[in-house]
Structures are given as C-alpha cells and as structure tokens.
Amino acid sequence: MDSNGIPEKQGLEGDGDLQFLMKGGDLLKVRSGSWKKTRYYKLQEDCKTMWHESKKTLKSKQTFSVEDIDEVRTGRQTESLRKYTEESVEGRAFSILFKGRQKGLDLIASSEEEAKKWVGGLEKVISNIKNLTPQKKTEHWIYSCLRKADKNFDNKISQKETKSFLRDINIEVSEDYAEMLFQKCDKSKCGFLEGKEIEHFYEILTQREEIDVIYEEYAKTDGLMSAADLLNFLLNEQKEDVSQNDALQLIEKYELDENAKAKQQMTKDGFLMYLHQPEGLISNLAHKRVYQDMNQPLNHYFISSSHNTYLLEDQLKGPSSTEAYIKALLKGCRCVELDCWDGSDGEPVIYHGYTLTSKVLFKDVIKAIQENAFKTSEYPLILSLENHCSVEQQKIIAQHLISILGSALITKPLGDQMPTCLPSPEELKGRFILKGKRLDKLEDMFSESKTADEESVTEEEDDEGDEEDQEKKSSSLKLAKELSDIVIYCKSVHFHGFEDSQDKQSFYEMASFKEGKAAKLAEESANDYIRHNIDKLSRIYPAGLRTDSSNYNPVPLWNAGCQIVALNFQTACPEMDLNRGLFLQNGQSGYNLKPSYLRDRDTKFDPITLPDGPWLKNKTLHVMVITAQQLPKVSERKSSIVDPVVKVQVYGVPADTTMVETQYIENNGFNPMWNENFQFDVRVPDLALVRFSIEDYDSSSNNEFIGQYTLPFNSLKNGYHHVPLLNKNGDHLSSAGLFVHIMVVDAE
C-alpha cells in the first residue's frame, strides 16, 4: 500500500507489458464482415479495470473488469475471427473471452509484436489477480471503493464520503455509528481521513471478531500460536490426523511475519491466511485430485454430461456455437451432444432441428472439441451423436471424425478378442468414444460376416436424444456403414423394459430415457433400474418442453445408478450447482465411482424404501453458520444493501433431503454474523450433497440469489472452515465467503 492507502501494483512495477497496457493503444474490434472499427483500450491505474472508447467520440467510454475475463486466446481462434478475417492477420489477432454469457471481444493489433504485448500483459495481470492472497483481494476491493468515494480525487475521505463508501461495500449503518467510526480514525481532528488514518479505518472494517475469539483460545505462547498450539487447534477443533511437523509446515507456508516464522510461531494474520487457503476451506483437499479407483468398467461411474451442448442460450432461437462446447469441456464435461443435420455445400451442420437456433459446421465443432477435450480432464470423452443426416453426409461425418480426431478416436475394441465388459476410464485416457446407431453387433467385427454399405435402422422414441419431435421425423433412417463402423462401446438401442434388456441388451448397448420416464422408473422400480445400470450405460435427457433450457433434478437419477444424466450446461440453476458439486471431487475428472452397492449385481439397495444394508451409515451433521464476508450487491442501485439469509440444503435419498435457513441480517452484506446452529440426520452419506446458498431476503417477493457452494457430503471437513462462494455461472466470487463450523458424527 502506498502512502495514500492505495494498493501497490501487485508486484508488477517496472514490467514492460504492464506499462504498455497502462499507456494503451488502438485495436481493431471485429463484429462482422462489415463491422470492423478502431477502439482505444488501456488498463486503468487500479490494474483491474480495462477502459476503452470510440475514436470518433470520447463520450462512449466503457470499462470491464479484468476479473471477468475467462480467457485470452491468441490468433484467429473464435468463430467470428475465422469467418470475418483473412489468414494474413493470424499473428495480430486475439480474443478476450468473458465468464458467463457476456459477449467476447475479437481484436486485431497493428503488429504481431503489439499483439504479443497485449496478450502477455493481460495474462500477467489476470495471473496476478488470481494469485492475490484473500487479504490482498479484500484490500484491493476496499481501496477501489474508497477511491470511488473520493469524489474530488484529493486522496482524503470526508465524513460524508465515508457514508457513501460504506454503502458501496454493502453495509448500511446509522449516522451515529458512521460518525463514531470516523471520529475514532480522525486522529488529526481535521475533518477528513488520509494516509495512516485510512489504514486504521481499513483495519477496523476488516477485523474478524469470530477469528479473534478462536485465535485467542489457542494462542498460548506470548499471545501467539506456537506449533504445539496450532497442533492443538488442528486436533481438537479440525479433528485432523496430523503431527507437529504438519503444524510447522503450515506456519512455514502461511505466516506473513518473518520474525514470528523464525520462532516457529503463527500470528493472527497468519492464522487467518491459513483459514483462507485450501487447507482451511470446507472441501477435503485430498478429493481435489483423482483419488478413486479408475480401473472399473465405464458403466461403474457417474459421468458429467451435457445436453444440446452446442447451444449458448434457449432451445428455440438461441445461438449454436463452438464456444458452448469449449465452455462445457473446460468445466469437466465428459459427454457432449452432436445434433447433426444436412448442411449446404455437402457439409453437415449442428443445430436444434426444426427451430430458429443458428447453425455451426460439424467439422468446426470437432476441431474445437479436439483442441479442448482434455484440458480439464484426461479421461475419455463420449460424443453423443444425434444423427438426422443423409447417407452421403453421414460419410462426411465419419471422415471428419477420423481425420480430425485421428488415433484418439476409438474405432475398434481394445485388445484382440471380443470384450465382455466396457473398458475403464484409465484404459481410455485421452480417447474419444462415439455413441450412436450401429448396423450390426460388435461381435461381428470378430467374425467373417459382412455388413451392407448402408441399411435402414428404425428411429424409435427414446433411442437418441430429443425425440419429443417424433411427428416431424421419418420412421426410419438410412445409416452409412462408415459411420456405423466407428460406433464401438456406446451403441444406441431402444429400451423395451428391464426383462428384455437383461435378456437381449449387450454391455456395449445403451438406451436414452426422457427425464419423465427415467424419473418414473427411478421412483417405482428403483432397484430394477439400479441393477440395469450395473452393467449397462443409461443416458437421461431433458423433456422437449424445456425450451428455455431449464433443467430437471439429477439427484433421483444418480440415486438409481444412471451414469449419463445430461443437463443444459448453458443454464445457471440449482440443478447445475448440484452437477458441479458432485463432480467437484476426484480431480474434477468428470468421472465419479459409484458406491459399491450401485455396482453389485445382487444389490438390495432402494433409495425410496431404504432397506437395511451397508448403505445405511447414519451420520449426524452439525452446522454452525457463523459469518459471511464481502457479499456482492444484487442491485445496481447505490442505496440498495443486501439483507443476507443463509440456506443449508442436503440432497440425496428422499429420507435425507431437507433444508434449513438462518434469520436474515438487515442491511449488511459486508460482515453479517448469525452464529446459528443446525442439525441434519443423514442416512446414506455416499449419495448426499450439501449446498450452502446465500440470498438477499425480500419479504414481498422471492429472495434474490447471491452465491452458493455445493459439495459431496463425504468431502466435508470437520471444524472451522471458509466456504468459497460461486455466482450463478459457477465462477468464484472474489473475496466473498461464508464461515462455518462443521461436525460430522455417527448417529446414536
């Protein structure tokens, strides 16, 4: 922090790329073939905000936060740049892509060297912001609000500006309290705060009373925590299986005061730092990496799956885009949908048939998939093909898949003999599996019999994705042998009942179920459905009436052992929060091993009736909701301060599903305190998810969503922990968090 209480430039002082960004320059903004205009861009002094204006008029000044950037992509790597620019600008082009649904920027610099400076500078600033400690993030945020409150830019804050500032940081206080706070900091009695007085003001605001109480309880060594004191805390409160050496490592890693570190002690600041780090967060750190057995057959896993992956918005008129695939893949999705139709010029296209959604070339989608498939997870990607194409264009589809995906595409079974079960995620690392129709049986690949070059296959309801438009489809589809031959482990078949499947369905054959039918089976024939899913894959998809791309509750389908529960990834909703929460574990690989009783052919498990069995582990979950920090405003109105209420929900088998909520705190989104205790009885913890959500309470209408975090019950850690908060799109809310105490014990 400098002498005026303004945060330093995040350790980038003197960096050439940063100085280039702060000086700014002209970039050509591309929107279409005819709309290409020069705009002036520069990084503002706070190193967090990009400012840009039109060349013709200085009136249209706009800003965006660097924290809202999802990715800076070099070259002509977006649909717009490939479509509207020449190959000659490849080295000068780059794109800024944003989180959520905010439209990206396609830009061209005047030279390749300048493009590298823009990209390099932005990546450094993004990286620095990501790597800021939680305390530094708070500091930066508070000081940017202080700067905003300083109306006359004199680096001094008047009493009136103090009140305005407090509203900006989401807290409403009485005139008396604001005056008391101001007088306490105004040591010079000159009617405004500056320099050290602003720092004192900051310290009062960011004091964490609840942390002070915990720290003082255990800091028994000259007012500080020794390694033995910290170990005492880790054993007694956090219930961790650790040694004094682990405590010493935490001091070495997170203590900020070098003198204390030299004495192997932890200050209050170091303790708070630790509580904000992965070791202090609510989710089990060991579950952040792949920790499950990945050598079981594919059908023994829940698989993160997307429906109509190509859509960015609704199902009727929204845009289709390769970006939608990239976003889903980067979120760990392991099954994407390809809705293929005949296109012009002999090139198949992907879009939602019989609607006004835009079209995207099949080959462009496959290229985008090939480039991004294994960035988040190295485990296999299933390409769920919904085929509406003529035989000729089906051959083109097969050609594109083989030429673009190359040897990574599974085109024959692993090994030299006919397999008896599906391979494992481990065996299929880095591979693509095509799901679709096949003319013959897989066994025929190992026999002398020949298949015709093309043949009709009947298209029946529930065979393949979105069959709500049955009346619009022909009753049969000619299938090209070239496409049929590369469907190996996921052959689409119709479901005729559990007995029929048991007798006739091979392990590599799988059915798709509309959500309503699947939910009925999961409720009325849960054990039969579970047994069906023990050696066969099932895919569930949303009903056709969900034209707004809304989602269904996936939990009952997971309880019934369904693996591919496909959701609309483009839609921000509680159902996607649950999907994100389930697949948060196991290294975000997109594959979660099902509990043993969902893999046992003789299982008696039924999530509805809950008979006795190894699944009944009967736990009691105690949750104390203590405080929240720096919640964002949900309304743009300056005077609008949130009234936060916390909801804690358990999702799982019906007997475990429940919700509680705190009282709401009036006019305080900055540091609300609840100290409320709740208790949950959880019978089947293996299938339970816990969702913490914060809403802005409204007595006259629905509460407004602020943030949430969902995680598997078995990933909860005991003790005092911060809960990170995600926005609707699943992006982290910088600085915001919830502080809770968790205790899981065996039920009596």
Side-chain angles (χ1 to χ4, degrees):
M1 212 183 302
D2 68 21
S3 59
N4 291 316
I6 305 300
E8 68 276 5
K9 292 182 177 62
Q10 310 161 30
L12 285 175
E13 303 92 331
D15 183 272
D17 287 342
L18 179 72
Q19 288 171 354
F20 173 80
L21 289 191
M22 296 185 79
K23 184 182 175 186
D26 287 342
L27 290 167
L28 187 68
K29 183 177 174 182
V30 179
R31 275 193 188 160
S32 68
S34 57
W35 200 104
K36 296 175 184 174
K37 298 185 180 180
T38 301
R39 294 286 182 263
Y40 184 78
Y41 289 82
K42 66 174 292 209
L43 181 68
Q44 293 191 310
E45 283 293 320
D46 64 358
C47 289
K48 282 177 64 176
T49 311
M50 286 294 291
W51 175 88
H52 54 108
E53 66 177 8
S54 164
K55 205 134 195 215
K56 288 181 181 174
T57 168
L58 296 181
K59 287 180 184 174
S60 59
K61 296 175 185 175
Q62 292 177 295
T63 62
F64 61 84
S65 171
V66 173
E67 288 184 279
D68 291 336
I69 297 175
D70 195 32
E71 180 189 358
V72 182
R73 201 178 290 170
T74 55
R76 296 162 61 249
Q77 295 299 313
T78 62
E79 287 172 38
S80 293
L81 281 176
R82 279 197 289 263
K83 191 172 179 182
Y84 302 127
T85 63
E86 301 295 323
E87 277 187 40
S88 58
V89 303
E90 180 72 34
R92 295 191 286 129
F94 66 97
S95 301
I96 298 174
L97 303 172
F98 295 99
K99 296 169 184 174
R101 289 188 178 178
Q102 187 178 342
K103 199 164 181 172
L105 290 171
D106 290 316
L107 304 164
I108 300 173
S110 56
S111 69
E112 289 193 18
E113 189 184 346
E114 281 203 359
K116 283 177 185 168
K117 284 183 177 179
W118 279 107
V119 172
L122 283 167
E123 285 178 342
K124 282 178 189 173
V125 174
I126 293 166
S127 173
N128 269 273
I129 288 173
K130 275 184 184 168
N131 293 330
L132 283 177
T133 65
Q135 286 95 321
K136 278 287 178 196
K137 281 183 183 173
T138 298
E139 187 180 307
H140 277 254
W141 176 62
I142 285 178
Y143 280 104
S144 66
C145 290
L146 276 169
R147 214 180 279 118
K148 196 168 147 192
D150 181 13
K151 303 295 183 193
N152 56 359
F153 307 108
D154 61 357
N155 287 329
K156 298 173 184 177
I157 305 292
S158 68
Q159 190 167 330
K160 186 180 177 184
E161 287 172 336
T162 303
K163 191 82 191 296
S164 169
F165 158 76
L166 289 169
R167 277 205 200 95
D168 277 345
I169 65 167
N170 213 356
I171 183 168
E172 183 74 64
V173 298
S174 67
E175 294 287 346
D176 290 346
Y177 181 79
E179 185 176 355
M180 181 274 288
L181 192 61
F182 186 85
Q183 298 300 340
K184 192 172 181 179
C185 298
D186 184 15
K187 306 284 190 192
S188 61
K189 305 298 176 194
C190 59
F192 52 79
L193 308 181
E194 63 178 330
K196 293 288 184 189
E197 293 172 334
I198 291 178
E199 287 191 38
H200 185 44
F201 182 54
Y202 168 81
E203 285 163 7
I204 291 173
L205 280 176
T206 55
Q207 185 179 358
R208 294 277 302 275
E209 185 185 325
E210 74 281 19
I211 303 295
D212 294 352
V213 171
I214 301 164
Y215 182 79
E216 283 158 17
E217 174 78 19
Y218 286 92
K220 303 297 185 189
T221 310
D222 302 324
L224 297 176
M225 264 189 187
S226 64
D229 295 337
L230 180 57
L231 177 62
N232 203 11
F233 169 78
L234 295 172
L235 294 172
N236 292 342
E237 298 292 350
Q238 311 299 76
K239 307 295 182 190
E240 291 186 25
D241 182 16
V242 289
S243 66
Q244 188 151 322
N245 191 47
D246 295 303
L248 282 168
Q249 284 181 1
L250 288 175
I251 291 171
E252 183 61 34
K253 203 169 176 183
Y254 298 125
E255 180 49 55
L256 304 168
D257 185 307
E258 291 301 328
N259 291 330
K261 192 188 284 189
K263 295 177 185 174
Q264 298 185 332
Q265 294 175 334
M266 185 175 259
T267 62
K268 197 189 299 176
D269 282 347
F271 183 64
L272 181 57
M273 171 72 88
Y274 144 71
L275 284 173
H276 273 299
Q277 298 305 317
E279 293 92 337
L281 298 183
I282 193 169
S283 186
N284 189 333
L285 198 54
H287 294 185
K288 294 284 185 188
R289 55 180 167 75
V290 174
Y291 70 97
Q292 296 173 350
D293 178 6
M294 301 303 278
N295 292 295
Q296 301 274 333
L298 211 59
N299 47 290
H300 284 185
Y301 298 82
F302 297 123
I303 303 171
S304 181
S305 306
S306 159
H307 168 255
N308 285 1
T309 316
Y310 46 90
L311 293 178
L312 284 167
E313 294 172 16
D314 64 69
Q315 311 273 316
L316 295 179
K317 57 187 188 317
S320 304
S321 172
T322 56
E323 289 302 326
Y325 284 92
I326 295 169
K327 282 177 183 283
L329 292 170
L330 295 182
K331 286 177 181 173
C333 181
R334 294 291 84 195
C335 177
V336 296
E337 186 175 0
L338 305 164
D339 199 343
C340 303
W341 299 78
D342 279 358
S344 55
D345 303 322
E347 282 293 343
V349 294
I350 289 178
Y351 85 112
H352 199 202
Y354 309 111
T355 68
L356 298 175
T357 56
S358 64
K359 299 172 183 177
V360 58
L361 288 176
F362 177 83
K363 64 179 178 183
D364 286 347
V365 167
I366 300 304
K367 283 176 190 169
I369 288 173
Q370 189 272 331
E371 288 166 6
N372 295 277
F374 305 110
K375 285 183 178 177
T376 297
S377 169
E378 58 187 343
Y379 291 97
L381 180 67
I382 298 169
L383 306 175
S384 182
L385 187 68
E386 191 174 328
N387 177 12
H388 308 272
C389 291
S390 62
V391 169
E392 286 310 308
Q393 294 212 8
Q394 287 178 44
K395 291 177 182 178
I396 302 293
I397 285 175
Q399 285 170 21
H400 286 323
L401 287 167
I402 292 164
S403 65
I404 295 168
L405 302 180
S407 60
L409 178 68
I410 293 284
T411 55
K412 60 181 183 180
L414 303 181
D416 301 324
Q417 295 179 321
M418 177 63 200
T420 55
C421 66
L422 291 172
S424 69
E426 190 65 33
E427 290 174 290
L428 293 167
K429 263 185 182 176
R431 306 298 295 271
F432 296 94
I433 304 164
L434 187 64
K435 171 196 166 291
K437 295 286 183 188
R438 185 180 170 92
L439 293 170
D440 56 0
K441 289 186 168 292
L442 193 61
E443 289 85 345
D444 294 339
M445 290 187 77
F446 297 87
S447 70
E448 298 299 316
S449 62
K450 296 288 181 188
T451 310
D453 283 353
E454 61 188 67
E455 203 171 287
S456 293
V457 287
T458 306
E459 282 287 297
E460 297 186 70
E461 186 182 4
D462 292 341
D463 270 357
E464 189 77 19
D466 301 326
E467 311 323 4
E468 62 273 4
D469 294 320
Q470 278 301 299
E471 70 280 1
K472 299 171 190 167
K473 300 175 74 167
S474 57
S475 58
S476 68
L477 173 80
K478 290 260 189 207
L479 189 59
K481 184 176 185 298
E482 291 87 340
L483 188 57
S484 164
D485 284 353
I486 55 176
V487 172
I488 306 298
Y489 291 123
C490 293
K491 176 184 175 180
S492 298
V493 296
H494 181 49
F495 178 74
H496 292 284
F498 293 123
E499 266 190 58
D500 180 82
S501 292
Q502 194 173 354
D503 294 340
K504 299 176 185 174
Q505 193 176 327
S506 296
F507 69 89
Y508 58 85
E509 294 178 320
M510 60 176 289
S512 288
F513 302 81
K514 196 180 290 184
E515 61 168 282
K517 183 172 184 177
K520 194 167 188 286
L521 291 171
E523 186 172 348
E524 297 175 3
S525 313
N527 185 257
D528 288 334
Y529 212 177
I530 287 164
R531 290 179 182 224
H532 172 86
N533 288 323
I534 281 162
D535 50 19
K536 298 171 185 71
L537 285 167
S538 289
R539 176 176 178 268
I540 320 301
Y541 60 90
L545 293 173
R546 295 185 183 274
T547 53
D548 57 351
S549 292
S550 59
N551 280 307
Y552 55 94
N553 180 5
V555 175
L557 289 317
W558 291 327
N559 291 345
C562 299
Q563 303 89 346
I564 302 178
V565 181
L567 297 177
N568 290 305
F569 266 55
Q570 71 273 29
T571 304
C573 58
E575 293 81 13
M576 267 308 296
D577 294 341
L578 295 172
N579 192 79
R580 204 176 287 114
L582 177 69
F583 293 103
L584 186 71
Q585 62 184 324
N586 208 31
Q588 287 187 294
S589 62
Y591 284 85
N592 285 356
L593 185 63
K594 296 196 281 186
S596 58
Y597 45 85
L598 293 182
R599 295 181 273 128
D600 173 12
R601 280 187 176 82
D602 299 319
T603 187
K604 301 284 192 297
F605 177 66
D606 186 312
I608 311 299
T609 60
L610 281 188
D612 281 341
W615 42 85
L616 288 178
K617 295 178 180 172
N618 296 322
K619 301 287 182 182
T620 300
L621 166 64
H622 297 274
V623 177
M624 183 182 189
V625 177
I626 305 172
T627 57
Q629 299 78 43
Q630 293 132 57
L631 302 176
K633 290 189 171 196
V634 293
S635 169
E636 293 300 313
R637 284 186 295 117
K638 187 175 177 64
S639 61
S640 175
I641 311 296
V642 300
D643 303 326
V645 57
V646 178
K647 292 183 177 179
V648 186
Q649 292 160 282
V650 175
Y651 291 84
V653 299
D656 290 343
T657 302
T658 186
M659 183 196 83
V660 297
E661 63 180 78
T662 63
Q663 300 292 313
Y664 70 91
I665 305 289
E666 201 167 352
N667 285 336
N668 187 352
F670 182 71
N671 55 3
M673 182 176 282
W674 291 275
N675 287 329
E676 291 191 46
N677 289 288
F678 303 101
Q679 181 177 318
F680 303 85
D681 293 318
V682 181
R683 295 154 188 79
V684 188
D686 297 335
L687 294 174
L689 294 165
V690 182
R691 183 175 188 256
F692 297 88
S693 60
I694 305 187
E695 297 174 356
D696 182 13
Y697 175 78
D698 193 317
S699 59
S700 59
S701 63
N702 290 337
N703 295 349
E704 283 196 76
F705 175 88
I706 295 174
Q708 71 83 34
Y709 191 74
T710 306
L711 73 165
F713 182 94
N714 287 342
S715 293
L716 285 170
K717 288 197 302 196
N718 283 319
Y720 290 101
H721 296 290
H722 281 105
V723 181
L725 292 175
L726 310 179
N727 65 15
K728 280 184 179 175
N729 296 312
D731 300 313
H732 277 273
L733 288 170
S734 185
S735 302
L738 186 63
F739 189 59
V740 299
H741 184 269
I742 300 291
M743 191 55 60
V744 177
V745 295
D746 291 331
E748 293 176 3

